[in-house]
Structures are given as structure tokens and as C-alpha cells.
Amino acid sequence: MMTYKSFRLLDKLSIFLSSAWILVIVTLIAIRVNAINSHPDLILGFVFSILMMVMSLQNEEENQNIITNISLWVSEFSYTIYLTHLPFLIFILSLIIKNERWQPDTQHLGYTLIIFIITILYAKIVYFFTEKHTVKLRNYLKTILSISRKS
């Protein structure tokens, strides 16, 4: 049951969350129109970290949304993404774009989204055949090594 005090806290968090989203949008627009010339990546990273911090303060019931579910799904194979994405992207991009430079238009952003999805699926497949079975392999090797030491 929500008390008045918890309702007031929820209201403050909603204001903080709305403010953080507005800050992100304003920052993105400012970077796009070149109003921020000095270290735009650093500033955008700082603004997004503020947004993530405010989002993490939300109640558990509110936090179970699509972003949380996607984060949990990606966290299963995040190390595999870290290891495999760059070589895979270099290979795919060398096949697709060769030496031309992509412009940030709708067509190329669509291609980027498709390549992003393919890269995530590739990492998930690699995870499924390797990292997912690490615990089983470790236990199997422990039993084999312990048997060979006893002999």
C-alpha cells in the first residue's frame, strides 16, 4: 500500500525522470545543431549517465519494463558481444560498404539497424555454443581431473 510519503517520493522521482529525459533531448538537439562544440561525446555520456542513475532509482514494480527485460537478456551474453562484435562488424562492413562512406540518412540508418540486429544475433549464437556451457565444461573437467589425480 502506498503511503503519502512514498507517493511524494514517487512524484519526485517522476519529476527527476522527466527532467533527465528533457536534458537528454536538449543535449542531442544542441549537439546536432553544433551548439556544443567542445567534447560533445563526453557531455552526452555524462547526460546519459544521469538518466541511467535516475532510472535506477525507480521502484521495482515500475522498473520491470521492456528496457529492463532487454538489459537482462543482453547481460547473459554481454561478454560474448564484447569479444565478437568488432571482428564480425569489420568482416560484414568490408563485404557491404567496401570503401564508400555512409551518410546519416534514412536508408543507411536502416542498414545500420539491420547490421546491429545481425551482430547481436551472431553474438547470441556464439554464446549458445560456447559461453553458455562453460559451467558444465568446468564441472566435467573437475571430475575428470579429480579422477586422474586419484589414479
Side-chain angles (χ1 to χ4, degrees):
M1 175 164 209
M2 281 183 68
T3 64
Y4 178 72
K5 189 174 184 178
S6 65
F7 180 74
R8 286 185 46 209
L9 178 63
L10 179 63
D11 192 39
K12 287 179 183 177
L13 287 175
S14 298
I15 291 171
F16 284 141
L17 185 60
S18 300
S19 301
W21 274 111
I22 290 170
L23 182 63
V24 167
I25 292 168
V26 168
T27 305
L28 287 171
I29 291 170
I31 290 171
R32 181 70 176 145
V33 298
N34 293 326
I36 299 176
N37 294 325
S38 180
H39 307 294
D41 294 337
L42 182 64
I43 292 170
L44 187 61
F46 180 72
V47 168
F48 266 103
S49 67
I50 291 172
L51 175 65
M52 293 296 118
M53 182 186 70
V54 171
M55 288 176 75
S56 71
L57 295 175
Q58 297 293 313
N59 289 338
E60 282 298 318
E61 297 86 31
E62 294 175 22
N63 228 5
Q64 294 298 323
N65 55 26
I66 193 164
I67 294 173
T68 304
N69 293 335
I70 290 172
S71 298
L72 291 173
W73 181 72
V74 170
S75 70
E76 287 181 347
F77 61 103
S78 62
Y79 187 66
T80 305
I81 292 173
Y82 167 73
L83 290 177
T84 62
H85 82 279
L86 187 60
F88 183 74
L89 283 176
I90 289 172
F91 174 72
I92 292 296
L93 294 178
S94 69
L95 291 176
I96 295 173
I97 65 171
K98 299 184 180 28
N99 289 330
E100 70 182 77
R101 187 177 173 131
W102 281 13
Q103 297 301 318
D105 56 8
T106 307
Q107 178 184 9
H108 290 109
L109 290 175
Y111 292 157
T112 303
L113 180 63
I114 291 169
I115 291 171
F116 173 77
I117 291 169
I118 291 171
T119 304
I120 295 297
L121 292 176
Y122 170 74
K124 184 68 174 182
I125 290 168
V126 171
Y127 160 80
F128 181 74
F129 287 112
T130 58
E131 187 181 353
K132 183 177 181 180
H133 303 292
T134 302
V135 174
K136 292 178 190 174
L137 179 63
R138 183 182 307 127
N139 292 336
Y140 175 73
L141 290 174
K142 280 181 182 179
T143 58
I144 288 181
L145 291 174
S146 67
I147 291 172
S148 65
R149 286 184 184 170
K150 291 178 183 178
S151 302

